[in-house]
Amino acid sequence: MAKMNMLQAVNSALITAMTENEKVMVFGEDVGHFGGVFRATSNLQEKFGKARCFNTPLTEQGIIGFANGLAAQGSTPVAEIQFADYIFPAFDQIVNETAKWRYRSGGQFSCGSLTIRTPYGGGISGGLYHSQSPEAFFAHVPGLKIVVPRNPYQAKGLLLAAIRDDNPVLFMEPKRLYRASVGDVPEHDYTLALGKAEVVQAGSDITLLAWGAQMEVIEKAAAMASQDGISCEIIDLCSILPWDRDTVAASVKKTGRLLINHEAPRTAGFASEIAASIQEACFLHLESPITRVCGLDTPYPLAHEKEYMPDHLKTYEAIKRCVHF
Amino acid sequence: MAKMNMLQAVNSALITAMTENEKVMVFGEDVGHFGGVFRATSNLQEKFGKARCFNTPLTEQGIIGFANGLAAQGSTPVAEIQFADYIFPAFDQIVNETAKWRYRSGGQFSCGSLTIRTPYGGGISGGLYHSQSPEAFFAHVPGLKIVVPRNPYQAKGLLLAAIRDDNPVLFMEPKRLYRASVGDVPEHDYTLALGKAEVVQAGSDITLLAWGAQMEVIEKAAAMASQDGISCEIIDLCSILPWDRDTVAASVKKTGRLLINHEAPRTAGFASEIAASIQEACFLHLESPITRVCGLDTPYPLAHEKEYMPDHLKTYEAIKRCVHF
Amino acid sequence: MKDRNHLSNVGLTNQVEVISNGLLDIPMVQLLQADGSLHGDATLPDMSEELAKKILHTMQYIRILDERMVAAQRQGRISFYLACTGEEASTIGSAAALEPQDMIMSQYREQGALAFRGFTTEQFMNQMFSNEKELNKGRQMPIHYGVKDLNFMTISSPLGTQIPQASGYAYGQKMAGVPAVTICYFGEGAASEGDFHAGMNMAAVLNCPVIFLCRNNGYAISTPSEEQFAGDGIASRGIGYGIKTIRVDGNDVMAVYAATAKARQIALTEHCPVLIEAMTYRLAAHSTSDDPTGYRSKDEEERWRAKDPVQRFAAWMQSKGWYNEEESKAHIEQTRQEVLSQLKQVEKVPVCHINEIINDVYDTPPWHLKEQLAELKAHIAKYPEAYPKTAGRL
Amino acid sequence: MKDRNHLSNVGLTNQVEVISNGLLDIPMVQLLQADGSLHGDATLPDMSEELAKKILHTMQYIRILDERMVAAQRQGRISFYLACTGEEASTIGSAAALEPQDMIMSQYREQGALAFRGFTTEQFMNQMFSNEKELNKGRQMPIHYGVKDLNFMTISSPLGTQIPQASGYAYGQKMAGVPAVTICYFGEGAASEGDFHAGMNMAAVLNCPVIFLCRNNGYAISTPSEEQFAGDGIASRGIGYGIKTIRVDGNDVMAVYAATAKARQIALTEHCPVLIEAMTYRLAAHSTSDDPTGYRSKDEEERWRAKDPVQRFAAWMQSKGWYNEEESKAHIEQTRQEVLSQLKQVEKVPVCHINEIINDVYDTPPWHLKEQLAELKAHIAKYPEAYPKTAGRL
Ligand SMILES: Cc1ncc(C[n+]2csc(CCOP(=O)(O)OP(=O)(O)O)c2C)c(N)n1
Ligand SMILES: Cc1ncc(C[n+]2csc(CCOP(=O)(O)OP(=O)(O)O)c2C)c(N)n1
Ligand SMILES: [Mg+2]
Ligand SMILES: [Mg+2]
C-alpha cells in the first residue's frame, strides 16, 4: 500500500499494464515527454520508449481513428483525450466505428482492446469548455463500456480492468479529484470488476446514487440528513454502461426512494435512464418520485459555477423533499 | 391544398422560405444541381441560383462549421446532412459550437438562424449506417431545438417554423415516410408551433406517445387495442427539445398510464427522459409503470431488421401489459 | 523530407510572393498507352505470365459479377449493389502488388482487390444476401464485405473513417515487427472528410507503413471533382503532409501495379506512408440507387469508355503472346455460369438465428441484452407469422 | 489555379516518379532584418507615421498587459491567463492591414489584434474577472474575448472550429455584398484538426473571401512542430488546396502587414481565400497553467528572444525618425498605470445577476429553464451564505 492521489493511481495502473503487456501503447496530445497536461502519463515515455508512449498531432478524431485501427490490429491502445469537452470531434469514430466494429464484422474483428481515458467534470473554474460531463451521450451507444472511478484505489483497479477487458472502454476521470482525492493504493497489480455498483453505505430511508466526483457530494448530503434522522443508503454506480440495475433496484426496493445526482444537464442525462428503469423495476415499492439533482440545462457557466452545480445543499434539500413527500 | 408526399412538402417549404427571404441558403452533399439523393432540394438551384443552393465538399463537420459561421454572419443557412447516421462527424460543431454560441457570447452573437435537415430512421433495409435515429444524443444539448414531422402537412409547417425560429433547429425527417406518406398540404405559407405536442386521438385508458414514423406504429397498435376495448390517447410529441411535458402530463394524469415508442436503442433513449419526468410529474396518478417500446440495445441489424423494430405488435402487447398490470 | 523543425532551412525572400499554381504540376505515371502498347521509354515491372493472367481474369471476373448483380438488384433479388466498372485496374493492379499478409482497408468500391485475394463467388453472394453463412452475419447492407482470413477489413459505410484507422493498423504492424503494410483505399470525395487530414498527417508524423490509394474517379455520387476540391487533385496534398506521393493512370493496370510495388517497398523499408492517386473514372452509376444521366453527359462517359482498363491490358497481353482468345472466352462464360448458379443457391440460405441479434455487441452479452433477447423470443413465438425469417428456429 | 476538372491538363510520365521534397521549398517573406534595417531590395508597404506609431504602441501595450496579467494570475487575482509574448507582430501587423468591417475570428492568442481594434483595458479586465460588465456575461474562462461592435467574434476553446466557420462567415459577407473579408487566426497545432481541412477546402471550392492566418509558433502546449506535422509547414498545405499562399516572417511586423494587405486585396477582389503562414515563436509559456522548462531549452528561447518583434520595429521607426524615446517611455509608463488601476477597480465589479444563468441558452428561456431558475433562486434564498456572489440580489 502507498498513499497516492488519483493521478498517481492512474500512472501506476498504466505502468503496471505497460510492464505486463508490451502491446499496451499510450498516446494523445502532450502525453509523451511532457507526461500530459495533468501529468497522468509522467515518465512513461522514459520507461517504455517513444514508440509506446507518444505525442500525437492535435486531432481527437485522428487519435481515436488511429486507436481503433491499432486495436483492430491486435495492439492494446490507451488513448487520452485531453479534456472530455474535446472528445466530440471523435464522436463519429467512437459511435460509428469503435462501438460497432465487432457487431458489423460478425465478431471477426473488434476494437475490444481499446481504452479511452479522459478527464471530465466541473468545479475547477473551467467554464463552458473545461467542465463538461458527457457520459450520457455515450450511454446511448451499444458496444461501449463506460467507467468512472471515485477515488485512487478505484482508479487503478478499474483502469487496469478496463485495459484488459475485451470491449472498448471509455474511462472518465473526475479531474477535480486528480490531486484532491488521496488514499491507500496497493502497489501491486489488481483489478475491480466492471459493471458492478458499490454500496458505500447502508441505509433504510432513501437510496442516493452518483458516480465519480459527485460521490463526495452525496456523502456530505447524507451526513447532513442523518442529523435529521434520515438514513441514506449510498451507492456508487462505478459503471455507467452496462450499469448495475439489480444492485440499484435491490436497494430501492428496500428504501422505497431514489435520488440520483450528476453534474451533467438534467434533460436526457444518465439519471433519466436510471429513473426510467427503476420506476419500472420497483414500481410497487416507490414511496415518492425518483428525484434527479443535476446540472442545469445550460452550458456550464463560469461566473455562476457554484450556483450551477448539484451540490450537497441541493441534494440535502431534495432528500428531505423525497422523504417528506 | 395539394396532395404531396413528404419530400414534396419539404421542397415546398424550402421554396417558400427561399422566395420570401433571400438570405436563406440551402447546401450539403449533392443538394445542388442533383437535388439531393432523396430529391428534397430538387429545382432549388435552378430557381435560386448556384450561390444560394449548392453542393459542398464531402465533409459533415465542414458543412456545419460553415453553416455556423454563415448563421453568425446573419444569413439563414439550411444545411443538409445526407443521412442522420453521418451527422456524427459534425457532433462537435453542433454540440460545442452551434448550441453554445449565443450563451458563450452573452447574446452578442448566435447561430439562431441555422436549420439542419437530416433524414433518419429505419425500415428501409439500410442496416447499421442508413437506419439510425440519433435524436437522444442531441436532446442532451441545451441550446438546440429538435423537431420531427410525422406527415407532409407537418413537414412543411414545422420546417418553415424551424427556418424562421431564432434558435438552431435540428429537423429530422423520417425517411421511410418520404414517399410513403402522402396528404393534403396548403400551397401557401404557414407555420406550426415548435415545442408543442399534438393529441392525435383522445382516449381514457392509456397514453401512447411517439414521433415521426413511429406514429403510424402506435396508431396501428391503438386500433388493435380498441378491439379489446382499450381506449388509447395518442400523442405526437413533434418537438423533442424543448418537449411539451405539460401536454403529456395532462394526458397521463387522465389515463394513468404511459407508453413511449421510439426506434432508437432503449438505453438512454429519449423515452428515458420522458419516463423520468412524467413519473415525477404524475407520481400519484400512475397505475402502472411507464413502459418503453424501443429498438434493442444493439447496432441496427439488417438481417434482423423486422425483429429489431419496435413495431405495432410489440406495442400492442405492451399496451395490454400496462393495462392489466 | 525536410528537417521537421519549423524554421530550420526556410529560405528568405524580400518580396511578397504569393504562391499559387507555380509550384505544382504533378505528372501521372502511365506505362501502357490507351491501345495497350508500351510507352517507348517505359520500363515494365517484373510481372510473370501467371500473374498477368490472374490480373486479367480478376478484371474480367469482377466486371461480370458487377453486371450480374446490378441485374439481380433490378430484379429485386438483392436490395442494393455498387459496381466498380471502369476502375478495375486501380484496385486489382494495386492488390496484385501486395502480399497476403498486408491488410486491406477499403471504402466500398474495391471488390476487385477482394476477388484478387481469393474471395469466392459464394462468399460474395452470401454477403449480398445477408445470410447466415455470411462471415459478418448479414448485419450490414450488401457490398460491405469483410474477411479476416484474407486480411480484408470489414467495410463500414461512414466515409473516410478507415484512413486514420489504417495509420493505426500499420503502426501496430510495425510495432509487431511483421513484414507487412496496410493499404487504405478511398475516393476523392471521401478525401474531403476531416478524417482524411487526421489520418494522413498522423501517418506521416508517426512513420506508419501504410499505402493510401485514392481512387480519383471524378465523382462523389453527383458531385464532380471540381466541386470537391480546387487544388491539383489529391496528390498535391500528400506533398503538404510530407508524404511521398505517386500519381498514376488508374486505368493502366501495369502502371498501378508498378506504383504500388514501389510504394510497398518504400513503406516497408523506410517505415513511412506513401500516397498514390489513381486517376480514373466511375463508369458505373454511383450505386443501384443512382442514375448518373441527371448529372453528366453520355459523351463524357463515352470518352472514358474508350480508355477501358480491361481492354487495354488484354491488348498488352496479346502483344506479349499471353492472351488466348479461347481461354478468355471460356473464363468469361464459366464466370457467368458460376455467378448465376451461386445466385440461385445462395438465395435459399436463411438468415442467422435470432440469438445473433445480440451477439458481438460485446464480447459476451450483458444482462440487459439477455433480457431483451428473451423478451423478443417470447414475442416472436407469439406472432410467428410476423417474423417469418426467424420464427421457425427459436 | 488549375482548371479543376480532375484529369484535364495532367502531364504524363513513363517512369514511376515518387515525389517527395523536390517540389516545395516555400520561402518566407522578410522585409526588416533582425536589426530593423530594410532588406536592400525590399519595397516597403505604404505605412503612415500615424499607423506605424499605432502599431508600435499596441505592441508595447499588449506586452505590458501580458506581463501584468501573468503576475495577477500568480497572485491569485485571476484564475487563468495566456500571453502572446514574441508573437505580437503576427497579430498586430495583420490586424493593422484590415478594415474595421472585417470580421476577426481568432483562436485565443490574438489579444494584439483586439487591442489594435480599440478594445479598452477596462474591457480586457472585465472579461478576465468574469464580471457583469463583461460583454459575454462572464461565462467562459479568462481570455475568451468577444465584442460585436469591434467585429471580433467571441473566442471558443475547442481548437480549429473557427476555421470552417470563418469560411461560412466570409461566404455570407460576399453574398451580402459588403466590401469586407474575414480573417481567421489559428496555431500550427490547431491546423492538425479535421476542421482545418474542412474549412480550407470549402473556402477554396466555394470561393470565400477569407484570410487564414496560421501562427506557426513552434509549439502546441508541449508538442513541438516536428511532432505535429512532417511537411513543409502549413504553407505547403495551402498549395494542396489550391489556395494562394504567403509564408511570412511572423516577427517582422512590416512583412506581416504587407502580406496581409496583399491577401486582403486578393480575397476581396478575386473572391477567394488566402493562406498566410507566419513563422514565429511562442516566447511565453503556453498559459499560466504551463511551465515550458519541462520541454524546451532556455537556449532555444534565448535565440528567439534575440528576434524580438517589438525591438525590431522600434529600430526601424528610429531609422525613419519616427521613434521618440521619451514618448515611448511615457506610453509604457502610462499603460502600466492604467492596467494596475483598472485591475483594482474591476476586481470589485460583481458577477451577473443569477437570472443570467438561463438567458441566452435560447432566444427566450423555455419552460424547463424557467422552472430550473425558480427552483435555484428559492434554494439560494434558503442558503444565501453558500452562494455569496448572487445571493445578495435575487
Ligand atoms: C460520412 C459519410 N457521409 C456521406 C456518406 C454518403 N455517401 C456514400 S458514398 C458517397 C460519395 C463518395 O464519393 P467518393 O469518395 O469519391 O467515392 P466513389 O463513390 O467515387 O468511389 C457519399 C456522399 C457516407 N457514406 N458517409
Ligand atoms: C479540440 C481541442 N483539443 C485540445 C485542446 C487543448 N489545447 C488547448 S491549446 C492547445 C495547443 C494549441 O496549439 P497551437 O494551435 O499551436 O496554438 P498556440 O498555443 O501555439 O498559440 C491544446 C492542445 C483544445 N482547446 N481543443
Ligand atoms: Mg469518387
Ligand atoms: Mg503553436
Side-chain angles (χ1 to χ4, degrees), chain C residues 218-236:
Chain C
Y219 287 90
I221 309 186
S222 76
T223 305
S225 58
E226 62 264 33
E227 296 183 19
Q228 195 66 247
F229 50 75
D232 181 12
I234 306 302
S236 61

Short mmCIF file of all heavy atoms in Angstrom, two decimals, chain C residues 218-236:
data_model
loop_
_atom_site.label_atom_id
_atom_site.label_comp_id
_atom_site.label_asym_id
_atom_site.label_seq_id
_atom_site.Cartn_x
_atom_site.Cartn_y
_atom_site.Cartn_z
N GLY C 218 -13.47 11.12 -60.37
CA GLY C 218 -14.19 12.25 -60.95
C GLY C 218 -15.52 12.60 -60.30
O GLY C 218 -16.02 13.71 -60.46
N TYR C 219 -16.09 11.68 -59.55
CA TYR C 219 -17.40 11.94 -58.94
C TYR C 219 -17.51 11.39 -57.53
O TYR C 219 -16.93 10.35 -57.21
CB TYR C 219 -18.53 11.31 -59.77
CG TYR C 219 -18.77 12.07 -61.06
CD1 TYR C 219 -18.08 11.73 -62.21
CD2 TYR C 219 -19.64 13.15 -61.08
CE1 TYR C 219 -18.24 12.45 -63.38
CE2 TYR C 219 -19.82 13.88 -62.25
CZ TYR C 219 -19.12 13.53 -63.39
OH TYR C 219 -19.29 14.26 -64.53
N ALA C 220 -18.29 12.09 -56.73
CA ALA C 220 -18.76 11.57 -55.45
C ALA C 220 -20.29 11.65 -55.56
O ALA C 220 -20.85 12.73 -55.51
CB ALA C 220 -18.26 12.42 -54.28
N ILE C 221 -20.92 10.52 -55.77
CA ILE C 221 -22.32 10.48 -56.21
C ILE C 221 -22.46 11.49 -57.36
O ILE C 221 -21.82 11.28 -58.40
CB ILE C 221 -23.32 10.69 -55.06
CG1 ILE C 221 -23.00 9.72 -53.87
CG2 ILE C 221 -24.76 10.42 -55.55
CD1 ILE C 221 -24.02 9.72 -52.73
N SER C 222 -23.21 12.58 -57.15
CA SER C 222 -23.42 13.51 -58.27
C SER C 222 -22.40 14.64 -58.31
O SER C 222 -22.40 15.44 -59.24
CB SER C 222 -24.82 14.14 -58.16
OG SER C 222 -24.83 15.13 -57.14
N THR C 223 -21.58 14.73 -57.28
CA THR C 223 -20.71 15.89 -57.15
C THR C 223 -19.41 15.69 -57.94
O THR C 223 -18.62 14.80 -57.63
CB THR C 223 -20.39 16.15 -55.67
OG1 THR C 223 -21.63 16.27 -54.96
CG2 THR C 223 -19.58 17.41 -55.48
N PRO C 224 -19.18 16.51 -58.95
CA PRO C 224 -17.96 16.36 -59.75
C PRO C 224 -16.75 16.85 -58.96
O PRO C 224 -16.89 17.66 -58.04
CB PRO C 224 -18.22 17.24 -60.97
CG PRO C 224 -19.18 18.28 -60.49
CD PRO C 224 -20.02 17.63 -59.42
N SER C 225 -15.59 16.35 -59.35
CA SER C 225 -14.41 16.68 -58.55
C SER C 225 -14.14 18.18 -58.52
O SER C 225 -13.57 18.68 -57.56
CB SER C 225 -13.18 15.90 -59.04
OG SER C 225 -12.94 16.19 -60.38
N GLU C 226 -14.58 18.94 -59.51
CA GLU C 226 -14.31 20.38 -59.44
C GLU C 226 -15.16 21.08 -58.37
O GLU C 226 -14.87 22.20 -58.00
CB GLU C 226 -14.47 21.07 -60.80
CG GLU C 226 -15.84 21.00 -61.41
CD GLU C 226 -15.96 19.85 -62.39
OE1 GLU C 226 -15.32 18.80 -62.17
OE2 GLU C 226 -16.72 19.99 -63.36
N GLU C 227 -16.19 20.40 -57.86
CA GLU C 227 -16.91 20.96 -56.71
C GLU C 227 -16.45 20.29 -55.41
O GLU C 227 -17.02 20.52 -54.35
CB GLU C 227 -18.43 20.80 -56.91
CG GLU C 227 -18.91 21.59 -58.11
CD GLU C 227 -20.43 21.53 -58.32
OE1 GLU C 227 -21.17 21.19 -57.39
OE2 GLU C 227 -20.85 21.83 -59.45
N GLN C 228 -15.47 19.43 -55.52
CA GLN C 228 -14.95 18.71 -54.35
C GLN C 228 -13.65 19.34 -53.84
O GLN C 228 -13.42 19.37 -52.64
CB GLN C 228 -14.70 17.25 -54.75
CG GLN C 228 -14.50 16.28 -53.62
CD GLN C 228 -15.75 16.11 -52.77
OE1 GLN C 228 -15.78 16.50 -51.62
NE2 GLN C 228 -16.79 15.55 -53.35
N PHE C 229 -12.82 19.82 -54.76
CA PHE C 229 -11.56 20.45 -54.35
C PHE C 229 -11.09 21.40 -55.43
O PHE C 229 -11.57 21.33 -56.57
CB PHE C 229 -10.49 19.41 -54.05
CG PHE C 229 -10.31 18.38 -55.14
CD1 PHE C 229 -9.66 18.69 -56.32
CD2 PHE C 229 -10.81 17.09 -54.97
CE1 PHE C 229 -9.51 17.75 -57.32
CE2 PHE C 229 -10.67 16.14 -55.98
CZ PHE C 229 -10.02 16.47 -57.16
N ALA C 230 -10.18 22.27 -55.07
CA ALA C 230 -9.73 23.27 -56.03
C ALA C 230 -8.24 23.17 -56.34
O ALA C 230 -7.71 23.94 -57.12
CB ALA C 230 -10.05 24.67 -55.50
N GLY C 231 -7.56 22.24 -55.71
CA GLY C 231 -6.12 22.11 -55.93
C GLY C 231 -5.80 21.12 -57.04
O GLY C 231 -6.68 20.71 -57.80
N ASP C 232 -4.54 20.74 -57.10
CA ASP C 232 -4.11 19.78 -58.12
C ASP C 232 -4.40 18.37 -57.60
O ASP C 232 -3.50 17.63 -57.21
CB ASP C 232 -2.62 19.99 -58.41
CG ASP C 232 -2.12 19.03 -59.49
OD1 ASP C 232 -2.97 18.40 -60.16
OD2 ASP C 232 -0.90 18.92 -59.65
N GLY C 233 -5.68 18.02 -57.58
CA GLY C 233 -6.10 16.68 -57.16
C GLY C 233 -5.73 16.37 -55.72
O GLY C 233 -5.58 17.26 -54.89
N ILE C 234 -5.61 15.08 -55.44
CA ILE C 234 -5.31 14.64 -54.08
C ILE C 234 -3.80 14.52 -53.89
O ILE C 234 -3.27 14.70 -52.79
CB ILE C 234 -6.01 13.29 -53.80
CG1 ILE C 234 -7.52 13.39 -54.10
CG2 ILE C 234 -5.78 12.83 -52.37
CD1 ILE C 234 -8.28 14.45 -53.32
N ALA C 235 -3.09 14.26 -54.97
CA ALA C 235 -1.64 14.08 -54.88
C ALA C 235 -0.97 15.31 -54.27
O ALA C 235 -0.05 15.20 -53.45
CB ALA C 235 -1.06 13.81 -56.27
N SER C 236 -1.46 16.48 -54.63
CA SER C 236 -0.81 17.71 -54.15
C SER C 236 -0.89 17.82 -52.64
O SER C 236 -0.07 18.48 -52.00
CB SER C 236 -1.47 18.93 -54.80
OG SER C 236 -2.84 18.99 -54.46
#
